[in-house]
Amino acid sequence: MKNYSETIIIGAGAAGLFCAGQIGKAGKSVTVFDNGKKAGRKILMSGGGFCNFTNLEVLPSHYLSHNPHFVKSALARFTQWDFIAMVAAQGIAYHEKESGQLFCDNGAEDIVKMLEARCTENRVSIQLRQRIDLVEAVHNDENARFKIQSGGQTWYCKNLVIATGGLSMPALGASPFGYQIAEQFGLNVLSPRASLVPFTYRENDKFLTALSGISLPVRVTAQNGKSFSNNLLFTHRGVSGPAILQISNYWQPNESVEIDLLPADSIDEYLSQLKASSPKLQLKTALSRILPKKLVELWFERQLLQDETLANLSKVRLKNLENLIHHWQFQPNGTEGYRTAEVTMGGIDTKEISSKTMESQKVKGLYFIGEVLDVTGWLGGYNFQWAWSSAYACAVGI
Ligand code: FDA
């Protein structure tokens, strides 16, 4: 049986659902296919179930891409304020958590319901549990440029939008489908890797698993000089928390990151002042007052430090202490990979995609939106904003 939809979108995630609603609103026919039994599964999981759907401050500099100017046009045409206005018009309650990050008050399903309602209102057909068996170009027919086979059915469409996201969280339906389609049509794919992801310990650092569950504010700096101040969480596999997830976007395999465990203070000044008032105080006691006690104990247990009175602390030992606290050189073994990563860095090379419409410059009618592209945002609502902005640009282009 042959079916026709002017536009077919593959992937009913953040970008695919939003794009479909917008195209439908313009009165055009659109069908969405997804391999999952539910639409918007990552949205439902996001932001700890409360979806950090955008940020009050969104700048091109919050994104990484081999083509850094690519995001500018789409972000300017559909901004965070446009999405916030949609959320507000829907009566969805939200709040700012920190650093401009906006979360739903009641739950991420509010965002999925809003996107699905826009699809329903605009007669978008969403076909779930669909495996795409074949995508082919059809020549000499401007209205049916692509043939798609799914579930024993054949579909034709004029515009094909790939919105299948990245590789993170395979349990939520992630697949390399978008990259395979790009390659099939001769587009370049920049090697994907897991990002916004926890680091794992090398053998030498595994003693730190004793600190699992402890969180503290740090400043972490990558070898390229990029740094973030936020919390670090020790886990039983390595280090995580927002500071680590952010820096993972800038970390390259085999590099180390520098961690300042006391970013708001100087250990030198703190100990000098304390030494003046309490020269007989033990170093261990002094450190335990400003750092997690378990971490301090571990340093002494592992003989990274020696206990002594502050009066006896030599300049050399103070220097060592400074290095340990303010300049900890942490070399990850690697990352936890796609199993826990929030995003995939790399993807479809944007040099071959129109930044105005997200259409391939090589293949007319073939569009890529959202995370499948080589665009990765910081932690903080930026990846969803990219999904909304790129989806909007595509919908207007169609
Ligand atoms: P998305 O992954 O949303 O959708 C892709 C869709 O394509 C899925 O429905 C999938 O099932 C489908 N699909 C894949 N392969 C297919 C195939 N072969 N056939 C058919 N369908 C296929 N970002 C943010 O800004 N704020 C946040 O709070 C969070 N939180 C967060 C938590 C967790 C746990 C994760 C994993 C990620 C986040 N993110 C985030 C990132 C954010 O979820 C992500 O960047 C967007 O969902 C990307 O939107 P896309 O529509 O591009 O892909």
Side-chain angles (χ1 to χ4, degrees), residues 121-139:
E121 274 160 32
N122 296 307
R123 296 164 309 282
V124 174
S125 159
I126 301 178
Q127 314 255 335
L128 298 171
R129 292 193 170 97
Q130 297 296 319
R131 207 184 74 189
I132 310 295
D133 299 313
L134 174 97
V135 174
E136 247 177 23
V138 180
H139 300 289

Side-chain angles (χ1 to χ4, degrees), residues 75-184:
L75 290 177
R77 283 164 74 203
F78 188 83
T79 68
Q80 70 273 37
W81 307 114
D82 295 317
F83 196 77
I84 294 166
M86 263 178 62
V87 167
Q90 202 64 27
I92 296 174
Y94 64 90
H95 61 278
E96 181 187 353
K97 203 169 163 191
E98 59 173 87
S99 322
Q101 301 171 9
L102 300 187
F103 287 78
C104 297
D105 285 0
N106 299 320
E109 58 275 12
D110 279 358
I111 299 292
V112 177
K113 277 188 198 151
M114 174 182 81
L115 297 173
E116 283 180 331
R118 286 167 65 90
C119 285
T120 310
E121 274 160 32
N122 296 307
R123 296 164 309 282
V124 174
S125 159
I126 301 178
Q127 314 255 335
L128 298 171
R129 292 193 170 97
Q130 297 296 319
R131 207 184 74 189
I132 310 295
D133 299 313
L134 174 97
V135 174
E136 247 177 23
V138 180
H139 300 289
N140 308 323
D141 188 348
E142 272 297 289
N143 287 318
R145 297 180 185 128
F146 302 96
K147 174 182 167 183
I148 289 139
Q149 273 173 0
S150 173
Q153 304 234 1
T154 302
W155 288 77
Y156 289 88
C157 63
K158 180 179 175 190
N159 306 304
L160 177 61
V161 182
I162 306 297
T164 45
L167 296 173
S168 60
M169 301 246 169
L172 296 181
S175 81
F177 181 84
Y179 309 140
Q180 288 161 356
I181 292 294
E183 279 166 355
Q184 179 187 330

Side-chain angles (χ1 to χ4, degrees), residues 179-389:
Y179 309 140
Q180 288 161 356
I181 292 294
E183 279 166 355
Q184 179 187 330
F185 285 93
L187 275 75
N188 190 31
V189 177
L190 298 162
S191 17
R193 72 171 167 96
S195 211
L196 294 184
V197 63
F199 289 143
T200 54
Y201 290 136
R202 285 179 312 160
E203 208 50 45
N204 286 354
D205 289 326
K206 283 198 173 151
F207 70 96
L208 293 167
T209 52
L211 302 174
S212 171
I214 292 177
S215 165
L216 76 165
V218 302
R219 181 168 186 83
V220 54
T221 308
Q223 283 193 5
N224 70 356
K226 192 81 201 166
S227 70
F228 291 92
S229 294
N230 210 314
N231 277 10
L232 173 150
L233 171 72
F234 289 98
T235 73
H236 54 278
R237 286 183 293 271
V239 286
S240 183
I244 295 300
L245 299 189
Q246 294 282 30
I247 210 71
S248 70
N249 270 350
Y250 293 89
W251 173 81
Q252 302 297 329
N254 300 319
E255 284 185 2
S256 56
V257 292
E258 182 173 291
I259 302 175
D260 183 345
L261 294 164
L262 203 59
D265 285 297
S266 147
I267 192 66
D268 192 358
E269 275 175 28
Y270 166 73
L271 290 178
S272 305
Q273 281 169 13
L274 209 54
K275 186 172 152 184
S277 59
S278 322
K280 290 197 176 140
L281 192 73
Q282 291 294 122
L283 178 62
K284 194 171 174 181
T285 313
L287 293 180
S288 300
R289 288 183 187 170
I290 51 165
L291 284 162
K293 198 165 171 240
K294 233 174 164 178
L295 170 64
V296 175
E297 277 170 2
L298 210 54
W299 284 337
F300 284 94
E301 257 172 59
R302 305 284 302 187
Q303 296 176 347
L304 295 167
L305 294 176
Q306 248 177 281
D307 208 6
E308 55 198 322
T309 62
L310 297 185
N312 280 343
L313 188 64
S314 67
K315 280 202 170 143
V316 174
R317 291 223 174 107
L318 185 59
K319 187 77 203 151
N320 285 345
L321 194 55
E322 256 196 318
N323 282 336
L324 189 66
I325 293 177
H326 291 302
H327 307 282
W328 176 25
Q329 300 300 317
F330 176 75
Q331 179 150 17
N333 187 41
T335 72
E336 286 192 5
Y338 293 119
R339 193 180 57 82
T340 59
E342 282 204 8
V343 291
T344 301
M345 181 160 284
I348 291 154
D349 194 344
T350 57
K351 289 192 183 116
E352 299 177 333
I353 305 290
S354 156
S355 62
K356 300 271 179 309
T357 63
M358 305 293 138
E359 187 178 17
S360 157
Q361 284 160 359
K362 275 188 182 160
V363 187
K364 197 155 175 46
L366 181 62
Y367 296 78
F368 294 89
I369 56 174
E371 200 185 309
V372 75
L373 288 164
D374 168 36
V375 172
T376 305
W378 287 12
L379 188 77
Y382 300 104
N383 286 295
F384 279 136
Q385 186 57 45
W386 173 246
W388 320 135
S389 297

